[in-house]
Amino acid sequence: MFDKNHLLPGDALKRVLSAIPERQETTERLRIEECYGRILASPVVAPEDLPAFARSTVDGFAVHSSDTFGARESLPAYINVKGEVFMGVAPDFSIGKGECARIPTGGMLPPGADAVVMLEYAQTVSDDMIEVMKPVAPHENIIRRGEDVEEGMLVLTRGRRLRPQDIGALAGLGITGVDVFTKPVVALVSTGDEIVPPGTPLRPGQVRDINSFTLAGLISEHGGVPVKKGIFSDEYGVIRGAIEEALSAADMVLVSGGTSAGVKDMTSTIIDDIGKPGVLFHGVSLKPGKPMIGGVIGNTPLFGLPGHPAAAVVCFDLFILPLLERLSGLDTGKCFPRTVRARMAKSIASSAGREDHIRVALERQGDELLAVPVLGKSGLITTLVRADGMVGIPQEKLGLDAGEEVTVKLF
Amino acid sequence: MFDKNHLLPGDALKRVLSAIPERQETTERLRIEECYGRILASPVVAPEDLPAFARSTVDGFAVHSSDTFGARESLPAYINVKGEVFMGVAPDFSIGKGECARIPTGGMLPPGADAVVMLEYAQTVSDDMIEVMKPVAPHENIIRRGEDVEEGMLVLTRGRRLRPQDIGALAGLGITGVDVFTKPVVALVSTGDEIVPPGTPLRPGQVRDINSFTLAGLISEHGGVPVKKGIFSDEYGVIRGAIEEALSAADMVLVSGGTSAGVKDMTSTIIDDIGKPGVLFHGVSLKPGKPMIGGVIGNTPLFGLPGHPAAAVVCFDLFILPLLERLSGLDTGKCFPRTVRARMAKSIASSAGREDHIRVALERQGDELLAVPVLGKSGLITTLVRADGMVGIPQEKLGLDAGEEVTVKLF
């Protein structure tokens, strides 16, 4: 097996990433209303100009801009009012030299007009005449046809997570459906003779399933579909059967629990027995999360997660999340992690050669945030409940000093 | 009416917040699997100890710690192996002085034992005898009964947004259902004679509905239930009817569109005509978003949002989001906004006395992020598509300098 002491999490992750295909190809076509947060599978090219006509951005008068050149309060330009533009309809007249039309914000510019004089700079002289006190430049106070989007322009790239305004842009272009990648299905196999579901009365020696609830939430939050396969007892045949069943219908399999060395080794053996390439790492220089197992069978990644709740969450962040992003088709180039800067409230020691991830609670101190380490064994779920995020200590550092500025990855 | 030029967004918001009840009281009881991201309506107190028994955190031997005191490699402690602990069952024996039991990680400590010697520090002498090479302190390598959570302890406070690990903690305590606040319903009334749904072919002068798609996504993302009431023409009776209908079934009403001054004034008049206290502000010192209207009818907040897409998004962030948080019952004391620090790529001017919110695209430059202003009229949806977030310029500042460090609120 590999050397447990010197495999860093990032290198362990690379072994798995390089053993699976570059990105997924399964797509589905959905109505845009169903696509919030989904990953675009094909680039979107504008089928038409947006807007489809020149529009006014103010309330005022559509004019030939040249008619206003040189206008000032002491020498206004006099212009004939030829008509009025109404919202949502094309004006049935055009504007010649010396002519203008009343126009509301958003109204369509009549043919001939190339700018709009704001209401504030025009005065009514008679029913069909205004005086303009200030010149307007060509295209002033209008949005030109295609100024927002020109027909044929690339609007959204493949692999983009669709945000509310992206869906708004699709609607604006008249695009009512798009292709998105299917959500990756992540099967959760919980193991442990001591684990029972939360609704079951506890007998001495038993504990309730925590991790499948935590992991299912994290998977959904990051665009996956969690499927809980159930709790299985620590027997080779039972766990192997559960993993094989899970592999048949999932894009990734997580085996959670099995905290003892014997059970860990069994999970690792089962992965190797099921198929190739099998286990790619077993044990990493990481705290919490040292007993992590990673492998691939066929094209499907498979992880053995530590049973301790805090370790499971750290391992989710370092291993499962990057895989989930890969499987979901996300282009991560434009993703910015949810982090805040904070100052350490106290010093924390760490061993060299190992990556440490400590849980911290955040407290406001004036304009700054203070990161208070939440101490406690990684087996305690309450350390995660009290914490607001995590701070990583790289392998080459011997700890963090009180007052040091750190980046906190928010939960 | 109020002075448009000197009402800052924060002060405008306060007028609305102080006119509605402190927090909402409608709750529903749901299974914990349905509560990810929901807001807890009652504090959760632990009904039992977690764990319910002392557990080992390592593979090894459960001992009386005092039997190991003084043990070292040159003078090991000899201890009789009385039995073995199995996962998930209570040992049917106890440990006396000079006795120990094999125990796996997570196993239940037999009565009498108070610590666990790791496998690495014990050597088998015979079938029923080990030698221990290193002393263990009382409680070493165990999690005590109730060490994670003690019965009666406050585990989660009212108003908390439930994260995956919080649901995990509930599962661990055997709590299968909790009370959460009902999601606030936000009715969207789109107005504008020129607006048509995205699936409809455009006639000259018409544009497609963008904002109700953008706003619906933002509302869902932040815990609300958007209800699109439809697109209504700019007539007093029609819009008044639509707003009254929306008020009857929603916790908040957003009137979107109506970009021209006449329509804005009509929306404002309608709000005042429907009920008290009516319009609380109309126009703010804000760019984009100046024509924003805010009011309350009975206990229901009501906003008139600018029609320009970028203005609608800025106003969502400054007005709708804080209201949505209030209506959802969220305790915002422990919320940390999704921001990143970046350096301005170029200088941007701003008018004093007005709060500016500029859209920026982020680019990585070594270890830093560069915030590149996305220029363009606020009526262009593509400025929002190209942007990754927004930077606020407070009213007292005259702009941002190139190279200045700023906080970017991520979309």
Side-chain angles (χ1 to χ4, degrees), chain A residues 63-79 117 121-122 130-136:
Chain A
V63 296
H64 269 280
S65 56
S66 61
D67 285 345
T68 70
F69 294 169
R72 51 187 186 274
E73 275 196 52
S74 58
L75 188 67
Y78 289 85
I79 305 180
V117 172
Y121 300 112
I130 56 163
E131 47 180 33
V132 172
M133 263 79 75
K134 211 183 153 189
V136 283

Side-chain angles (χ1 to χ4, degrees), chain A residues 99-352:
Chain A
E99 292 177 339
C100 72
R102 277 174 216 283
I103 190 166
T105 307
M108 178 175 179
L109 239 65
D114 70 346
V116 176
V117 172
M118 284 176 80
L119 227 43
E120 291 88 316
Y121 300 112
Q123 211 144 11
T124 305
V125 178
S126 67
D127 269 4
D128 58 359
M129 167 105 25
I130 56 163
E131 47 180 33
V132 172
M133 263 79 75
K134 211 183 153 189
V136 283
H139 306 314
E140 196 168 333
N141 297 324
I142 69 165
I143 292 181
R144 281 168 291 120
R145 177 184 176 136
E147 184 173 341
D148 202 347
V149 184
E150 272 179 37
E151 186 184 331
M153 188 179 115
L154 176 66
V155 183
L156 295 165
T157 52
R158 175 185 155 110
R160 180 182 186 112
R161 176 171 284 142
L162 294 168
R163 304 168 302 169
Q165 63 263 49
D166 302 329
I167 302 288
L170 291 171
L173 286 165
I175 297 168
T176 54
V178 288
D179 293 322
V180 294
F181 289 115
T182 51
K183 289 186 175 194
V185 172
V186 183
L188 281 167
V189 173
S190 299
T191 69
D193 288 334
E194 78 282 21
I195 308 287
V196 296
T200 307
L202 281 189
R203 289 202 310 264
Q206 295 184 326
V207 293
R208 295 201 180 85
D209 177 19
I210 289 178
N211 284 354
S212 80
F213 287 84
T214 306
L215 291 170
L218 290 169
I219 292 163
S220 303
E221 238 175 40
H222 294 96
V225 179
V227 177
K228 291 189 198 174
K229 307 302 283 187
I231 301 167
F232 300 89
S233 66
D234 292 329
E235 289 167 59
Y236 180 95
V238 173
I239 297 181
R240 178 169 177 159
I243 294 177
E244 285 180 323
E245 214 272 307
L247 278 168
S248 69
D251 300 299
M252 172 155 52
V253 177
L254 305 185
V255 184
S256 162
T259 39
S260 74
V263 174
K264 279 280 152 223
D265 290 341
M266 187 168 74
T267 302
S268 172
T269 305
I270 289 171
I271 296 174
D272 273 335
D273 288 353
I274 292 179
K276 294 281 165 206
V279 172
L280 297 173
F281 69 88
H282 182 178
V284 275
S285 300
L286 172 66
K287 186 187 173 188
K290 187 179 155 198
M292 184 76 185
I293 299 169
V296 169
I297 291 173
N299 284 330
T300 309
L302 206 138
F303 290 97
L305 286 157
H308 287 159
V313 167
V314 167
C315 288
F316 180 88
D317 200 52
L318 296 178
F319 299 99
I320 316 307
L321 182 54
L323 261 296
L324 209 45
E325 289 175 341
R326 166 77 73 90
L327 295 173
S328 68
L330 180 69
D331 174 0
T332 54
K334 269 298 198 182
C335 294
F336 301 96
R338 236 181 121 228
T339 59
V340 292
R341 297 290 289 171
R343 274 187 202 289
M344 289 302 295
K346 53 195 268 186
S347 301
I348 281 283
S350 163
S351 300

Side-chain angles (χ1 to χ4, degrees), chain A residues 32-33 36 48-53 55-57 59 87-90 104-106 108 119 139 141-144 147-149 153 155-156 160 162-176 192-195 197-199 202-218 220-221 228 234 259-262 308-309 313 332-341 361-364 369 377 379-389 410-411, chain B residues 32-33 36 48-53 55-57 59 87-90 104-106 108 119 139 141-144 147-149 153 155-156 160 162-176 192-195 197-199 202-218 220-221 228 234 259-262 308-309 313 332-341 361-364 369 377 379-389 410-411:
Chain A
I32 58 169
E33 292 91 327
Y36 294 103
E48 59 186 38
D49 285 335
L50 177 67
F53 52 90
R55 305 181 74 188
S56 177
T57 61
D59 295 334
M87 292 303 284
V89 285
T105 307
M108 178 175 179
L119 227 43
H139 306 314
N141 297 324
I142 69 165
I143 292 181
R144 281 168 291 120
E147 184 173 341
D148 202 347
V149 184
M153 188 179 115
V155 183
L156 295 165
R160 180 182 186 112
L162 294 168
R163 304 168 302 169
Q165 63 263 49
D166 302 329
I167 302 288
L170 291 171
L173 286 165
I175 297 168
T176 54
D193 288 334
E194 78 282 21
I195 308 287
L202 281 189
R203 289 202 310 264
Q206 295 184 326
V207 293
R208 295 201 180 85
D209 177 19
I210 289 178
N211 284 354
S212 80
F213 287 84
T214 306
L215 291 170
L218 290 169
S220 303
E221 238 175 40
K228 291 189 198 174
D234 292 329
T259 39
S260 74
H308 287 159
V313 167
T332 54
K334 269 298 198 182
C335 294
F336 301 96
R338 236 181 121 228
T339 59
V340 292
R341 297 290 289 171
L362 291 169
E363 286 174 14
R364 290 199 174 83
L369 287 173
K377 307 183 175 92
L380 307 181
I381 180 73
T382 41
T383 61
L384 285 172
V385 171
R386 273 151 51 212
D388 297 305
L410 294 174
F411 284 134
Chain B
I32 57 171
E33 291 91 329
Y36 295 102
E48 61 186 36
D49 285 334
L50 177 66
F53 53 89
R55 306 181 74 188
S56 178
T57 60
D59 295 335
M87 292 303 284
V89 287
T105 307
M108 178 176 180
L119 226 43
H139 306 315
N141 296 325
I142 69 165
I143 290 181
R144 281 169 290 120
E147 185 173 339
D148 202 347
V149 184
M153 191 180 113
V155 183
L156 295 166
R160 181 185 185 105
L162 294 168
R163 304 168 302 171
Q165 63 262 50
D166 302 330
I167 302 289
L170 291 170
L173 288 164
I175 297 167
T176 53
D193 287 334
E194 78 282 21
I195 308 286
L202 281 188
R203 288 204 309 265
Q206 294 183 328
V207 292
R208 296 202 180 85
D209 177 18
I210 289 177
N211 284 353
S212 80
F213 287 83
T214 305
L215 291 169
L218 290 169
S220 303
E221 237 176 42
K228 291 189 198 174
D234 292 330
T259 38
S260 73
H308 287 160
V313 167
T332 53
K334 269 297 196 180
C335 294
F336 301 95
R338 235 181 125 229
T339 59
V340 292
R341 299 290 287 170
L362 291 170
E363 287 175 12
R364 291 199 174 82
L369 287 172
K377 306 184 176 94
L380 307 182
I381 181 72
T382 41
T383 61
L384 286 172
V385 171
R386 273 150 49 210
D388 297 305
L410 293 174
F411 284 135

Side-chain angles (χ1 to χ4, degrees), chain B residues 60-92:
Chain B
F61 293 90
V63 296
H64 270 279
S65 56
S66 59
D67 286 346
T68 69
F69 294 170
R72 51 188 185 275
E73 276 196 52
S74 57
L75 188 68
Y78 289 84
I79 306 180
N80 286 310
V81 181
K82 191 166 181 192
E84 182 168 356
V85 174
F86 295 97
M87 292 303 284
V89 287
D92 56 0

